[in-house]
Amino acid sequence: MDSDANRMSDGGNFGFAFNDSNFSDRVLRIEILAGSSDSKSDCEGCSSLADWARNRKRRREDLKKENIAEGQILDQPDTDDILGRENDDEEAVGIIEESPSCVGDEAATHNDDSSWSINCSTVVRVKILHISSPILAAKSPFFYKLFSNGKNESEERHATIRINSSEEMAVIEVLNFMYTNTLTATTVPAVLDVLMAADKFEVASCVRHCSWVLRSMPMTPESALFYLELPSSILMVEAVQPLMDPAKQYLVDRYKDIIQFQEEVMALPIAGIEAILSSDDLQVTSEDAIYDFLLKWARVHHPSPEDRREILSRRLVRLIRFPHMTCRKLRKVLTCADIDHEAASSLVLEALYFKAEAPHRQRAMAAEDSSATSRRFVERAYIYRPVKVAEFELPQPQCVVYLDLKKEECGDLFPSGRIYSQAFHLDGQGFFLSAHCNTDQQSNFHCLGLFLGMQEKGSVTLAVDYEFAARQKPTEEFSSKYRGHYKFVGGKAVGYRNLFGLPWHSFMADDCPYFINGILHLRAELTLRH
């Protein structure tokens, strides 16, 4: 990590020249304004990132009330004592502190847009540093403008900036970094202080370095969420990208099982929700569950219907992969009052077109979409595998169900795993398929079994004819493997323990005729008998 961080920094090590008049062409006057916690940085007294965030929020509120513009560039008041100290060798090696003063109407800003507002704020301390303007200007557009703003100050040998007392340590750290490309800060709050100061003074190399340092530190849900929200509070968003990706991955790994951590995930802010639900690897039953979860989250965090519709339409809907939702749930999307009807209609139509495509076209669309932000055509690792269903009402209620399984998914079943399909319906009753790795009772070897079950629903009883089939080489057509008749009651299942009549090692062999381009294509036909 250190080597990566060093590569992210610009230039060599000029630490020998920091605050040394022999290697400096300017004097930097840092006026330190009184704050709510004078002479302390945000990180002092903070035992956690939460303390740091609260302190920083409180400081921002105080500054807003006091109408203080932070990081102001000021014209140097007409004083000769600073220039007089330039040639004092004893003063050159240390940071010179001056007595408190009040800089008022005589101070004018040097910001190009003239948007800084300055009122008379107490200057509790002044630090004097000997600096090299080429070094600072090369590392920071802020200082480049300060030293070349076309006014008399650019021709003088001194410049002034004004900061709040809570920023003092971080600003000195940033200035030192511009010479040395190293940090002395070792805690998360301290490094974040430096990152914020570097962002304000436009020192991109320091922001990148802080990002790499923070990335190497142990991450927590609290810190990961804070890092994801950094782009809303800093200007150099690209410079913190090395920190954003690990923070997202941390949350994805921690909350992969949304079912287990549902209450904890429900309490997360939107930045955490976006990071987690962008993942392909969530352990969720189906995309229907993602849709239901997001609606619940939006209703909890945004009680106002207008706000909820806005946040769902603008940021959350894109996280839902509608093409992999069931048709029954898609019907509910069309009538959901929390989603704009026009947007809902467009999303459902796109999903239905995807479902109508041939499997090879669906895979092609998913591959094309894999690099997109939304990844709406890419399947997640659903606990209940998606199925394609064709339903018929005449001459009798019937449905044909297609279930595709990847070879690696089948391999993961050994020695006793199971894969369940999403629910499908026959005459209004829910059914599901399940593929098992089990032991053949006669031959005592592992094999693949396929079963058909009916979801529990009171005391309903249905008599069903069913047939299992699979595509097979060389014709790649479906061939029937098992037929039967069963009177279902809620929670019951029926099937065949050894669907292909093969031991497990033969089923998983490279020359197995049932895997076509690495996919096992299964079909179940159900016909209701009265």
Side-chain angles (χ1 to χ4, degrees):
M1 195 291 301
D2 292 339
S3 60
D4 289 336
N6 290 336
R7 284 197 296 270
M8 300 302 291
S9 303
D10 301 325
N13 190 324
F14 299 99
F16 64 88
F18 182 59
N19 197 32
D20 190 325
S21 61
N22 295 318
F23 300 98
S24 303
D25 64 334
R26 303 233 182 195
V27 170
L28 180 65
R29 174 187 173 95
I30 305 175
E31 294 185 348
I32 301 164
L33 304 180
S36 57
S37 55
D38 183 29
S39 78
K40 290 185 178 182
S41 72
D42 284 338
C43 67
E44 284 191 72
C46 296
S47 58
S48 69
L49 182 60
D51 292 338
W52 184 90
R54 281 193 294 271
N55 286 352
R56 187 168 183 84
K57 180 180 180 182
R58 185 161 50 247
R59 182 169 67 81
R60 284 198 302 265
E61 292 172 350
D62 291 344
L63 291 178
K64 185 176 181 180
K65 292 176 183 178
E66 297 169 10
N67 194 29
I68 297 175
E70 298 186 42
Q72 297 164 2
I73 309 172
L74 302 178
D75 273 336
Q76 174 62 37
D78 294 331
T79 56
D80 297 329
D81 56 342
I82 298 177
L83 290 178
R85 290 193 181 108
E86 283 184 317
N87 298 322
D88 189 337
D89 290 340
E90 293 183 0
E91 296 290 342
V93 280
I95 296 176
I96 304 170
E97 294 198 10
E98 293 188 354
S99 300
S101 63
C102 180
V103 182
D105 296 334
E106 75 273 19
T109 64
H110 273 183
N111 194 291
D112 292 338
D113 60 12
S114 301
S115 63
W116 301 96
S117 61
I118 301 179
N119 54 11
C120 186
S121 303
T122 303
V123 177
V124 296
R125 240 174 4 271
V126 175
K127 286 187 180 294
I128 303 299
L129 293 178
H130 294 275
I131 58 170
S132 169
S133 59
I135 291 177
L136 269 60
K139 296 291 185 71
S140 163
F142 178 97
F143 285 104
Y144 179 86
K145 294 175 185 177
L146 174 61
F147 300 140
S148 58
N149 57 22
K151 297 185 179 182
N152 291 335
E153 187 179 42
S154 63
E155 300 172 1
E156 298 289 344
R157 298 190 62 191
H158 59 275
T160 300
I161 61 174
R162 176 178 287 181
I163 62 174
N164 189 269
S165 59
S166 60
E167 300 175 296
E168 180 181 343
M169 293 177 62
V171 171
I172 298 300
E173 184 89 62
V174 171
L175 292 170
N176 183 67
F177 177 88
M178 296 167 78
Y179 281 80
T180 65
N181 294 317
T182 60
L183 293 181
T184 62
T186 57
T187 67
V188 171
V191 177
L192 279 171
D193 261 354
V194 178
L195 187 151
M196 294 295 186
D199 178 72
K200 180 161 65 175
F201 289 102
E202 303 178 69
V203 189
S205 59
C206 187
V207 176
R208 288 194 296 269
H209 186 89
C210 289
S211 296
W212 283 99
V213 170
L214 290 169
R215 177 175 178 168
S216 70
M217 294 179 173
M219 201 169 292
T220 65
E222 183 182 61
S223 63
L225 289 169
F226 188 88
Y227 299 155
L228 291 180
E229 292 175 347
L230 276 176
S232 64
S233 56
I234 67 172
L235 297 175
M236 298 182 176
V237 176
E238 185 177 349
V240 298
Q241 196 60 45
L243 186 58
M244 304 288 288
D245 294 337
K248 290 179 181 178
Q249 192 59 49
Y250 173 86
L251 292 175
V252 167
D253 293 341
R254 180 178 177 86
Y255 298 116
K256 181 181 293 186
D257 189 344
I258 291 186
I259 297 174
Q260 179 182 352
F261 295 99
Q262 184 168 349
E263 291 186 8
E264 199 170 334
V265 176
M266 184 63 65
L268 294 178
I270 191 169
I273 296 297
E274 288 178 320
I276 294 168
L277 296 189
S278 297
S279 171
D280 300 340
D281 301 322
L282 298 182
Q283 295 177 9
V284 290
T285 55
S286 66
E287 197 67 28
D288 291 4
I290 295 291
Y291 171 82
D292 290 336
F293 173 84
L294 275 181
L295 282 186
K296 183 179 179 181
W297 184 93
R299 289 165 182 167
V300 169
H301 291 265
H302 299 275
S304 166
E306 293 77 13
D307 292 345
R308 188 162 59 245
R309 285 170 64 91
E310 170 68 16
I311 204 70
L312 280 167
S313 301
R314 186 166 53 88
R315 295 183 66 172
L316 296 182
V317 162
R318 63 181 178 81
L319 302 174
I320 304 172
R321 303 182 184 184
F322 291 93
H324 299 293
M325 290 173 59
T326 64
C327 290
R328 288 197 164 213
K329 186 64 73 172
L330 288 174
R331 293 191 191 100
K332 294 185 178 180
V333 174
L334 291 174
T335 58
C336 179
D338 293 327
I339 301 177
D340 177 75
H341 181 71
E342 184 176 346
S345 299
S346 175
L347 292 167
V348 170
L349 186 62
E350 180 185 59
L352 293 176
Y353 272 124
F354 178 83
K355 289 178 180 294
E357 292 283 1
H360 74 278
R361 278 291 302 142
Q362 291 180 345
R363 289 192 290 272
M365 293 170 70
E368 293 171 1
D369 194 46
S370 61
S371 59
T373 303
S374 65
R375 300 176 65 82
R376 62 194 185 281
F377 297 133
V378 179
E379 276 189 24
R380 304 185 201 266
Y382 302 115
I383 296 174
Y384 298 154
R385 302 296 297 137
V387 293
K388 293 186 69 172
V389 183
E391 297 184 46
F392 306 93
E393 294 183 359
L394 297 173
Q396 59 267 334
Q398 184 183 38
C399 67
V400 182
V401 185
Y402 297 89
L403 173 64
D404 293 346
L405 300 177
K406 298 176 182 177
K407 189 168 186 178
E408 53 266 30
E409 290 176 323
C410 294
D412 291 340
L413 294 177
F414 187 84
S416 58
R418 300 182 180 188
I419 291 178
Y420 293 92
S421 78
Q422 292 179 352
F424 52 91
H425 293 80
L426 175 65
D427 198 34
Q429 177 61 48
F431 288 84
F432 62 90
L433 292 173
S434 61
H436 298 207
C437 177
N438 39 225
T439 303
D440 184 277
Q441 292 178 335
Q442 295 180 348
S443 305
N444 199 32
F445 54 68
H446 288 89
C447 53
L448 182 77
L450 185 63
F451 296 84
L452 172 66
M454 188 173 84
Q455 293 180 322
E456 293 187 31
K457 191 174 182 181
S459 58
V460 176
T461 299
L462 290 180
V464 176
D465 293 337
Y466 62 94
E467 179 186 20
F468 295 154
R471 291 190 186 273
Q472 184 174 352
K473 297 176 182 177
T475 63
E476 298 187 356
E477 299 291 334
F478 278 103
S479 60
S480 178
K481 295 300 173 185
Y482 186 75
R483 291 182 181 181
H485 176 82
Y486 191 72
K487 184 173 287 188
F488 285 92
V489 294
K492 296 296 183 178
V494 66
Y496 199 59
R497 295 181 65 85
N498 190 352
L499 183 65
F500 300 116
L502 295 174
W504 189 261
H505 65 86
S506 298
F507 167 66
M508 293 300 298
D510 292 339
D511 60 352
C512 176
Y514 298 106
F515 286 103
I516 301 172
N517 297 323
I519 303 293
L520 176 66
H521 302 273
L522 301 174
R523 184 185 72 190
E525 293 187 21
L526 285 67
T527 304
L528 184 65
R529 296 299 181 191
H530 294 290

